[in-house]
Amino acid sequence: MKGLEVFEEVQRLVVVAAHPDDLESICGGTISMLTRRGVKVFSVNCTLGDIGTQDATTLRQSLAIARLTETDDAARILGIERTYNLGHHDGELLPDLELRAQIARLYRITQADTLLTFDAYWTGQIHPDHRAAGQAALDAYMPSKMPLYRPEQLNESEASLGCLERVFLFSTSREPDIYVDVTEVYDTKLAACIAHRSQFPKGEESLEWMKERDQDAGEVIEVTYAEKLKQMAVW
Amino acid sequence: MKGLEVFEEVQRLVVVAAHPDDLESICGGTISMLTRRGVKVFSVNCTLGDIGTQDATTLRQSLAIARLTETDDAARILGIERTYNLGHHDGELLPDLELRAQIARLYRITQADTLLTFDAYWTGQIHPDHRAAGQAALDAYMPSKMPLYRPEQLNESEASLGCLERVFLFSTSREPDIYVDVTEVYDTKLAACIAHRSQFPKGEESLEWMKERDQDAGEVIEVTYAEKLKQMAVW
Amino acid sequence: MKGLEVFEEVQRLVVVAAHPDDLESICGGTISMLTRRGVKVFSVNCTLGDIGTQDATTLRQSLAIARLTETDDAARILGIERTYNLGHHDGELLPDLELRAQIARLYRITQADTLLTFDAYWTGQIHPDHRAAGQAALDAYMPSKMPLYRPEQLNESEASLGCLERVFLFSTSREPDIYVDVTEVYDTKLAACIAHRSQFPKGEESLEWMKERDQDAGEVIEVTYAEKLKQMAVW
Amino acid sequence: MKGLEVFEEVQRLVVVAAHPDDLESICGGTISMLTRRGVKVFSVNCTLGDIGTQDATTLRQSLAIARLTETDDAARILGIERTYNLGHHDGELLPDLELRAQIARLYRITQADTLLTFDAYWTGQIHPDHRAAGQAALDAYMPSKMPLYRPEQLNESEASLGCLERVFLFSTSREPDIYVDVTEVYDTKLAACIAHRSQFPKGEESLEWMKERDQDAGEVIEVTYAEKLKQMAVW
Amino acid sequence: MKGLEVFEEVQRLVVVAAHPDDLESICGGTISMLTRRGVKVFSVNCTLGDIGTQDATTLRQSLAIARLTETDDAARILGIERTYNLGHHDGELLPDLELRAQIARLYRITQADTLLTFDAYWTGQIHPDHRAAGQAALDAYMPSKMPLYRPEQLNESEASLGCLERVFLFSTSREPDIYVDVTEVYDTKLAACIAHRSQFPKGEESLEWMKERDQDAGEVIEVTYAEKLKQMAVW
Amino acid sequence: MKGLEVFEEVQRLVVVAAHPDDLESICGGTISMLTRRGVKVFSVNCTLGDIGTQDATTLRQSLAIARLTETDDAARILGIERTYNLGHHDGELLPDLELRAQIARLYRITQADTLLTFDAYWTGQIHPDHRAAGQAALDAYMPSKMPLYRPEQLNESEASLGCLERVFLFSTSREPDIYVDVTEVYDTKLAACIAHRSQFPKGEESLEWMKERDQDAGEVIEVTYAEKLKQMAVW
């Protein structure tokens, strides 16, 4: 069983998620540990999370604004370098050529060496946005490294050719083989989640399900809290 | 090994299939047993089944009409509450946002608590329409429960917020763990299939393949005929 | 463990790949052995391979032209009957209805009885074009056999109804059960690959990775070089 | 003011309309006079006319079938060589690349020398399908004459390169300069319209608006009934 | 030359515009006069107006929110019954089937008898969103009156079949023949425009161009301020 | 009647055409006169011109390559600063959001103050690509000047906010009011056209139609050769 050491050579990490709060609740502990070790982390959310409420009177645009602010608050807590939102609508994300190009552009701008995203092939994935985000993130890997793919992206002043070398997946049904012990930063993880006030209005009380899940993972490696990942072989 | 008892709490069931006759030949026995127990069943076919013939002189629109009638005939035999056809063309179904919205709308109108559909991840699935129907049905699950997703659907007089709680899959490569003994209603299943005259012009003789398949499933639980299903965990 | 005998009844084989050089490097040995035995082989590449370079000053259209020529050179070496290129852009292939129809048309024109293509469900597939090609090839199987699907294709002078009976997959994560011993034709395979000068400018030296992979497969059946395939059940 | 003589050199005429009954009610008289003179006329309707009713209980597919039959009945009355229906849905026709290709294919199959269609630029056109049909018919003119445009169409046994030389428009706001005296065939025109029973259930009584319009045109050239057209210069 | 009397029989008017502030600055005076006479007016903006600034640091979602509020403020000043925003992005509006359906739905919900919108055929129109809004508004006219067009819209509790009878256009190059004297309500028009603070930060000073344009129109009919319209014949 | 003086304040001009050779044959004389006066001219062709032959055996990609070279040869003759080709396929250009964005990007990169393009509203335009190019060029005008429209374009090192101030149209049915006397540079215009060897294989002999057209325009202002344009008011 492997742990945080799989990230040893990582210097710049990009996380591609679907909604504000995915990163925080799924791998917020791992991210916090990495930023403390000096890794530069970039967060990409594909959608605005703008249907994320059960209150039918909410205005979608207002919810989007609120969640953009919450994302930045959480990013500060976790030590994230910069956050990007691709502006798609929640519940309607598609892994199309446009999304692929948007993500490839950020691989080129962030110069990340490592990708962390949803496993698009988890057969238990019920949320279509999660699948779409993971698929598009994977589909952008190859083209981002080819100079003739969307060459205008390479004219942007910050951009260079994509240089990803490693891919890690979360929310996977493939046997996870990486368990990161996040016990020491769990308060930070909780604080980052709680920053998403629109989603967890009762604070830690709204996050019992997450603590249970992370405790279950912790039991496997005999610690209090853990997060599970899987490395994907790439070429 | 589980059986019909997995449906114990089901009151309103929606079946999302691709073609007229999918429901009947795959799970017609289970449906018949459920309607006899008082479950309200709604049948959704995504396509018109309008290339379903080897006779090149058939007019596609005429075939569509004939199959709509056959579907209603079969539904009466099985005790189905109401049938819907989404009007897409056979052999060209795509799991796009439009299909997702059409299906979400019916989850909201039927107020089904349970979904039964194709497993979109069966790696042995050779028919693209089956995969598309299963994928769109799954992709509609989450959004249908969110009030800000396509809110105009909630203005329709019959509609309320989606309330699906359970998902069952057929045509799956995941180890099926539900075998429903359909021996006692097998004549009804056969009659429902035979109602699809355009597909099974020789009646029961055209359905030997189905009987063999259902007998094979029956052997597993030592009954004459059975149908196989798999429950998917949802949240 | 099965071998070349699985192709015993094959008379006309269509290979659907994504880029010029996929066929050659993945199954060039098997193809060479089949054409020597009199099988007619048709090669379909979905994309032009027009981002296949690390030289940013290359003109995409020039690269496309060069690779079309290389494909024909390699085809002569392998004894391939005819090559088709569907003209899509490299890195942006989508398994949409248009691609499906293009491929179905070629099933009808080549009158192939057997399909060989990428496994669209390999969860380790990092190249989106490979997945798209395999998916569209599979999705075209069913409709190509139905006379009412895109009936204008059947008006073309060479075309008849599709008649595929067998599907084999490469680049698969499902346990491969076919290992073809290609030792005796390995020089031919190498020559066909080297014909792709734009991809392997240093000839055999650029192909060490391929030789290693094929040696690893060879070890399983105790020969020098082998290629791995999987048969998919169809109906 | 010109009249029927503008069609003197026409041998094969293709009419591109939007709905069954457009051709009949707009230029049915002209068509009848041309077929009597030996011109081969081909009728293309882009949509099924499947929302053409105020009865909300009608099934769209049934209406489509009925109108296909009515079209053929009317065609027999007018002496039309062959009718084509492109199968699009009424009220949702778009002048996209697919429609353009469908129409170009028919220019190539019918080998028409002359096109008659809606003026896409009539600023008083309130029906979007009329505009779309006229636009696509015009947009298909050029490509149909180029051998590298959709070359697979030219493989069809009946097809050759498009050879349109003349374009005439109806429903135009440009000053019409052709008035065809259709008095002598007006009974035939009426009969062809009345064949569209689903649209004109009371026969001639349902067609008073058409007779008035054609009488107004007739007054311009001092005959009882006339139809107005405009020739468009092409190159 | 006609004036306000062309609206004599109007009871329910729907205005389809592209951006928040189009209605106010183009026909705010006419609208104010109509609401004072008891006409119910419904305002539909197709886009969020979310690129409507020269300040590159503005967040698009924040601008959208601000403009929704400004729209409602202006609506109160003009006496508008209700405002709708279709949520499309500024600068990227397309007159596609989706937009057509959205607008048709509002014709059915508002039960408007009269439409006021952009002339899609103004050859001097440089703003693509204006053209798209006018085109889609026109294209929705016919289908909204047909019960088989998007029939699920008619299930909404407020909706009935579309009943538009009149169409008026603004921003037209066709000779305008209606000049509405808006002198007596010009202060109200100005106030409604000024409510769009994000667009006219200096209040009336930012609106000199509008006053000049309305004075020019006023000169034609010898009043201080006028607005120009054109009626389109429909059937 | 106005002439070349309308370009007096122009410093950077962008021409948006559909095919290689459009610019040269329509306004090559005007362009030559402007570059001699020191105006920087940028040429944008939307399509590759890759169906521009009657020889069915030509490979589309080879034709595209040849025409790119011809374009550069002609540009050198006319003194054009730089040529761009947007890579779309001939006969299938659509004025969609993608084309709009591609063109807006070039307005931002070239920093052109003036646009010259096809009149998208010429009701006599039979070539759909001409209409599409003119429409997209016009549709890109507004958004290119807004910083929140496709803001990533502004990150490219050469780009700034669009600054177009004037629009001129060719191939128009609106009364042209600008006639440019191009007699003194007509040899240059001819040479630029002849550089398109694939289109005018017999040199000047293949261009008689152009000389006639330009002589007709010349007659209006009593010179040997002229080119006709129309200015469009913009805001």
Side-chain angles (χ1 to χ4, degrees), chain D residues 53-198:
Chain D
T53 179
Q54 286 297 322
D55 174 3
T57 66
T58 308
L59 201 59
R60 285 181 69 140
Q61 285 92 345
S62 308
L63 182 55
I65 291 283
R67 300 195 71 176
L68 288 169
T69 306
E70 293 171 2
T71 302
D72 283 340
D73 291 349
R76 266 188 297 277
I77 294 170
L78 294 175
I80 285 172
E81 194 70 13
R82 185 156 171 194
T83 66
Y84 298 90
N85 190 295
L86 302 181
H88 295 277
H89 290 304
D90 193 358
E92 313 218 29
L93 189 66
L94 289 182
D96 57 16
L97 295 183
E98 177 63 15
L99 182 59
R100 185 187 300 179
Q102 284 184 302
I103 295 175
R105 178 177 166 262
L106 292 180
Y107 293 167
R108 290 167 161 188
I109 283 179
T110 61
Q111 289 291 297
D113 51 56
T114 305
L115 165 66
L116 179 52
T117 190
F118 282 99
D119 185 352
Y121 294 103
W122 177 26
T123 56
Q125 182 57 266
I126 193 76
H127 203 311
D129 292 346
H130 292 181
R131 204 182 318 112
Q135 187 69 73
L138 218 59
D139 289 354
Y141 170 88
M142 268 287 184
S144 72
K145 300 162 85 102
M146 311 297 280
L148 300 188
Y149 174 77
R150 308 256 168 158
E152 70 279 8
Q153 294 180 348
L154 296 170
N155 294 346
E156 296 194 41
S157 45
E158 298 166 88
S160 299
L161 205 57
C163 54
L164 283 175
E165 292 168 37
R166 292 169 214 88
V167 177
F168 295 94
L169 304 174
F170 47 69
S171 293
T172 179
S173 60
R174 318 185 201 187
E175 195 59 36
D177 53 6
I178 302 167
Y179 282 77
V180 180
D181 174 3
V182 296
T183 313
E184 69 174 88
V185 296
Y186 211 74
D187 284 351
T188 307
K189 174 173 184 169
L190 276 170
C193 291
I194 292 168
H196 290 276
R197 290 167 299 279
S198 68

Side-chain angles (χ1 to χ4, degrees), chain E residues 31-227:
Chain E
I31 295 306
S32 177
M33 296 186 80
L34 291 174
T35 60
R36 288 174 188 212
R37 275 157 187 69
V39 176
K40 298 233 177 292
V41 175
F42 304 90
S43 153
V44 180
N45 286 323
C46 296
T47 82
L48 295 163
D50 53 345
I51 63 168
T53 179
Q54 285 298 321
D55 174 3
T57 66
T58 309
L59 201 60
R60 285 182 69 140
Q61 284 92 345
S62 307
L63 182 56
I65 292 283
R67 300 194 72 177
L68 289 168
T69 306
E70 292 171 3
T71 302
D72 283 340
D73 290 348
R76 266 188 297 276
I77 294 170
L78 295 176
I80 286 172
E81 194 72 12
R82 183 158 173 194
T83 67
Y84 297 91
N85 190 295
L86 302 181
H88 295 277
H89 290 303
D90 192 359
E92 313 220 28
L93 189 67
L94 289 182
D96 57 16
L97 295 184
E98 177 62 17
L99 182 60
R100 185 188 299 178
Q102 284 184 302
I103 296 175
R105 177 177 166 263
L106 293 181
Y107 293 167
R108 291 167 160 188
I109 283 178
T110 61
Q111 288 291 298
D113 51 56
T114 305
L115 165 66
L116 179 53
T117 191
F118 283 100
D119 185 350
Y121 294 103
W122 177 26
T123 58
Q125 183 55 267
I126 194 76
H127 203 313
D129 291 347
H130 293 181
R131 203 182 319 112
Q135 187 69 73
L138 218 60
D139 289 354
Y141 170 88
M142 268 286 185
S144 72
K145 301 161 82 102
M146 310 297 281
L148 300 188
Y149 173 77
R150 307 257 169 158
E152 70 279 8
Q153 294 179 348
L154 296 170
N155 294 346
E156 295 193 42
S157 45
E158 299 167 89
S160 300
L161 204 56
C163 54
L164 284 175
E165 292 168 38
R166 292 169 215 89
V167 176
F168 295 94
L169 304 174
F170 47 70
S171 293
T172 179
S173 61
R174 318 184 200 187
E175 196 56 38
D177 53 6
I178 302 166
Y179 281 75
V180 180
D181 175 1
V182 295
T183 312
E184 70 173 85
V185 296
Y186 211 73
D187 283 350
T188 307
K189 175 171 184 170
L190 275 171
C193 291
I194 292 168
H196 290 277
R197 291 168 297 277
S198 67
Q199 305 303 302
F200 311 115
K202 302 190 184 165
E204 193 166 339
E205 196 183 325
S206 305
L207 287 154
E208 285 306 315
W209 59 274
M210 181 181 83
K211 288 164 70 176
E212 277 175 40
R213 187 199 57 195
D214 294 348
Q215 283 162 349
D216 288 351
E219 277 178 27
V220 179
I221 54 167
E222 297 177 345
V223 303
T224 313
Y225 296 107
E227 292 170 349

Side-chain angles (χ1 to χ4, degrees), chain B residues 44-187:
Chain B
V44 180
N45 286 322
C46 296
T47 82
L48 295 163
D50 54 345
I51 63 167
T53 179
Q54 286 297 322
D55 174 4
T57 66
T58 308
L59 202 59
R60 285 181 69 139
Q61 284 91 346
S62 307
L63 182 56
I65 291 284
R67 300 194 71 175
L68 288 169
T69 307
E70 292 170 3
T71 302
D72 283 341
D73 291 348
R76 265 188 297 277
I77 294 169
L78 294 176
I80 286 172
E81 194 72 12
R82 183 155 173 196
T83 67
Y84 298 91
N85 190 296
L86 302 181
H88 295 277
H89 290 304
D90 192 359
E92 313 219 27
L93 190 66
L94 289 183
D96 56 16
L97 295 183
E98 177 64 16
L99 181 59
R100 185 188 301 180
Q102 284 184 301
I103 296 175
R105 178 178 166 262
L106 293 181
Y107 293 166
R108 290 166 162 189
I109 283 178
T110 60
Q111 288 292 297
D113 51 57
T114 305
L115 165 66
L116 179 52
T117 190
F118 282 99
D119 185 351
Y121 294 103
W122 177 26
T123 58
Q125 183 55 268
I126 194 75
H127 202 314
D129 292 346
H130 292 181
R131 203 182 319 114
Q135 187 69 74
L138 218 58
D139 289 353
Y141 170 88
M142 268 288 185
S144 71
K145 300 162 84 103
M146 310 297 281
L148 300 188
Y149 174 77
R150 308 257 168 159
E152 70 279 9
Q153 295 180 346
L154 296 170
N155 294 346
E156 296 193 43
S157 44
E158 297 167 90
S160 300
L161 203 56
C163 53
L164 283 174
E165 292 168 39
R166 290 168 215 92
V167 177
F168 295 94
L169 304 174
F170 47 70
S171 294
T172 180
S173 61
R174 316 185 201 187
E175 197 56 39
D177 54 5
I178 302 167
Y179 282 76
V180 179
D181 175 2
V182 296
T183 312
E184 70 173 86
V185 296
Y186 212 74
D187 283 350

Side-chain angles (χ1 to χ4, degrees), chain A residues 15 17 19 21-28 31 41 43 45 78 80:
Chain A
V15 185
H19 311 95
D21 85 359
D22 285 346
L23 178 153
E24 291 79 352
S25 61
I26 300 175
C27 58
I31 294 305
V41 175
S43 152
N45 286 322
L78 294 176
I80 286 173

